[in-house]
Amino acid sequence: MTDEPIPLLDLTLQYRFLAVEIQPQVEALLASGQYIGGAAVRHFEELFSHFLGGGELETIGCNSGTDALVLALRALGIQPGDEVITSAFSFFASAEAIDLVGARPVFVDVDPYTFNLDPALLEAQISPHTKAVIPVHLFGQAANMTEILTIARRHGLAVIEDCAQAVGACWGGKPVGTWGDVGCFSFFPTKNLGAAGDGGAVVTRSPDLARQIRILKEHGQARQYQHDQIGINSRLDALQAVILSVKLPHLREWNWRRQGIAEVYHRLLQGIPSLILPRVAAGGSSVWHQYTVRVAGADPTDPHRRDSLQQHLKDRGIGSRIYYPIPLHRQPVYQKLGYKPGDLPHAETCAAQVLSLPCFPELTLRQQERVAKAIAEIISEEIRA
Ligand SMILES: *Cc1c(COP(=O)(O)O)cnc(C)c1O
């Protein structure tokens, strides 16, 4: 008898668990005829602000995490001629948003154990054109907001947090997204809080920024059919808001489960030769959007050993994924920026070595044991060969 496959992620289990809660809410929304905006969206925006600590915080729903970043940059007045600093190792949208407002991305190398922007390298990238920094809380782990904010404030830079992968993670006990001027979230289905389609949110404590973001996301109109600026059309659908409002009260528990899963992987994968486990920086927490290991080879930029482990896991029915195989400064579209191989060595090493393992709240201990055993066997066979 062969074992059942273990997927990287299985979204059907969460839906099965929540179907009885979600279905009547979705039906009521469909019957209401209010598909754009309205009470469902306002309700979710309030719930989400409350989840992040409430107070002055305002949430503005939008169509995606990418739009959230674009709206934040636009509201802060970032424009052509400006530079915005972000992490060299992230999902493409962290940099793409900067280009979408006509500014120039500048990349900072990462810490290869936390995968987050290394604040010690930040100041060297600041120029007279720099206007903002976008720290990314990658794989669910909070970046070091104390140091990033200190440097940013010293140079008068705005801080936009890319929280797409880290909803609920904290730095210094305070949720990510509430440290900087603006926090940007994604509700893409695979994120820790996922809609049944695209969705996103911007959060801010500044009433001026909140107002400007609401105008920009509605075609630049402050009043209906009066357009003072060019905006975009970026809405959180009422249907998605309803689904997200059902899911949000479960998010803390799901994140705790992910933290439990990470602890189990740490224990089971400890001591396997050439396998480098992720670390959580002191002062921060992770909600483990991904559990990402590194497979070290003789040459830190050679992906061969990592790729081979992934193939062998696949042969045993175990899912895994490479987030991300090309660092941002090495993307074809960014050749124009003039970065050379070796310029941001840790990001390049990560791209060659990372492998994300199955990690989702419903993953069982037995499945994790199978993943860990398979990895140990594959690596020891490889070493003997
Ligand atoms: C998913 C993601 C985004 C973009 O979110 P979308 O909702 O897919 O547009 C931005 N940054 C990071 C780090 C992400 O993981």
Side-chain angles (χ1 to χ4, degrees):
M1 197 193 88
T2 52
D3 286 320
E4 286 274 307
I6 303 174
L8 179 70
L9 171 67
D10 184 347
L11 293 175
T12 67
L13 298 170
Q14 188 189 75
Y15 181 69
R16 226 184 293 163
F17 172 67
L18 291 179
V20 288
E21 263 187 275
I22 288 176
Q23 283 169 3
Q25 299 280 336
V26 166
E27 272 187 44
L29 188 279
L30 289 175
S32 79
Q34 178 78 56
Y35 306 139
I36 297 288
V41 176
R42 275 199 306 277
H43 178 62
F44 174 71
E45 288 177 341
E46 275 160 27
L47 281 184
F48 196 68
S49 298
H50 182 74
F51 175 83
L52 293 176
E56 311 278 274
L57 204 69
E58 180 166 345
T59 299
I60 302 116
C62 65
N63 180 67
S64 69
T66 307
D67 277 5
L69 290 166
V70 169
L71 287 164
L73 287 160
R74 282 283 311 271
L76 285 160
I78 311 294
Q79 56 186 347
D82 294 341
E83 291 178 4
V84 178
I85 298 175
T86 192
S87 168
F89 189 63
S90 181
F91 178 60
F92 185 62
S94 309
E96 185 181 35
I98 299 168
D99 275 85
L100 284 171
V101 303
R104 177 189 175 94
V106 173
F107 299 111
V108 177
D109 209 358
V110 294
D111 174 315
Y113 295 94
T114 66
F115 304 112
N116 278 331
L117 180 159
D118 183 347
L121 305 174
L122 177 56
E123 206 149 24
Q125 299 306 319
I126 297 172
S127 86
H129 302 290
T130 310
K131 290 287 157 59
V133 188
I134 305 183
V136 182
H137 305 291
L138 200 71
F139 301 150
Q141 174 165 191
N144 184 332
M145 291 312 298
T146 317
E147 288 189 29
I148 293 167
L149 275 173
T150 304
I151 297 165
R153 294 304 177 233
R154 190 150 68 220
H155 295 268
L157 308 179
V159 176
I160 300 169
E161 295 177 69
D162 183 341
C163 310
Q165 302 189 1
V167 59
C170 289
W171 176 260
K174 205 168 105 174
V176 301
T178 67
W179 282 85
D181 298 286
V182 186
C184 299
F185 292 83
S186 166
F187 307 124
F188 185 80
T190 62
K191 305 286 157 107
N192 287 29
L193 177 64
D198 277 306
V202 188
V203 307
T204 181
R205 239 183 239 102
S206 155
D208 290 341
L209 285 175
R211 190 180 126 76
Q212 175 64 358
I213 288 163
R214 284 202 192 277
I215 292 171
L216 287 171
K217 73 184 275 282
E218 300 246 4
H219 304 287
Q221 59 185 1
R223 231 179 294 150
Q224 204 169 30
Y225 305 131
Q226 178 190 309
H227 302 269
D228 306 306
Q229 44 190 329
I230 299 297
I232 57 176
N233 167 15
S234 186
R235 300 166 176 132
L236 177 65
D237 288 339
L239 203 57
Q240 303 302 349
V242 156
I243 292 170
L244 290 167
S245 296
V246 172
K247 288 189 175 189
L248 186 57
H250 299 278
L251 180 60
R252 275 192 213 289
E253 191 195 327
W254 293 333
N255 282 345
W256 283 328
R257 288 201 199 180
R258 286 175 183 270
Q259 287 166 343
I261 285 164
E263 272 172 39
V264 168
Y265 271 140
H266 281 323
R267 183 161 51 74
L268 297 178
L269 297 173
Q270 208 69 251
I272 297 179
S274 71
L275 200 71
I276 303 169
L277 304 185
R279 292 182 197 160
V280 178
S285 73
S286 179
V287 290
W288 299 99
H289 175 60
Q290 301 293 341
Y291 187 88
T292 303
V293 298
R294 283 194 288 138
V295 187
D299 172 359
T301 58
D302 180 1
H304 171 260
R305 291 198 69 204
R306 182 270 314 276
D307 294 349
S308 151
L309 174 62
Q310 182 178 39
Q311 183 57 48
H312 281 98
L313 285 170
K314 189 173 171 219
D315 294 343
R316 294 171 183 232
I318 296 170
S320 66
R321 195 130 164 195
I322 300 162
Y323 298 112
Y324 296 93
I326 306 174
L328 295 177
H329 67 292
R330 301 291 301 150
Q331 288 291 344
V333 71
Y334 286 139
Q335 267 183 23
K336 61 182 180 191
L337 297 178
Y339 288 95
K340 293 182 301 300
D343 277 354
L344 301 168
H346 290 148
E348 290 163 42
T349 298
C350 288
Q353 297 184 339
V354 285
L355 192 65
S356 295
L357 304 179
C359 184
F360 50 95
E362 298 81 7
L363 190 72
T364 66
L365 176 60
R366 161 102 185 83
Q367 286 175 314
Q368 284 197 273
E369 286 169 346
R370 274 181 51 208
V371 173
K373 185 157 168 281
I375 292 173
E377 284 174 7
I378 292 162
I379 288 180
S380 78
E381 276 165 27
E382 196 194 22
I383 287 169
R384 260 184 274 123

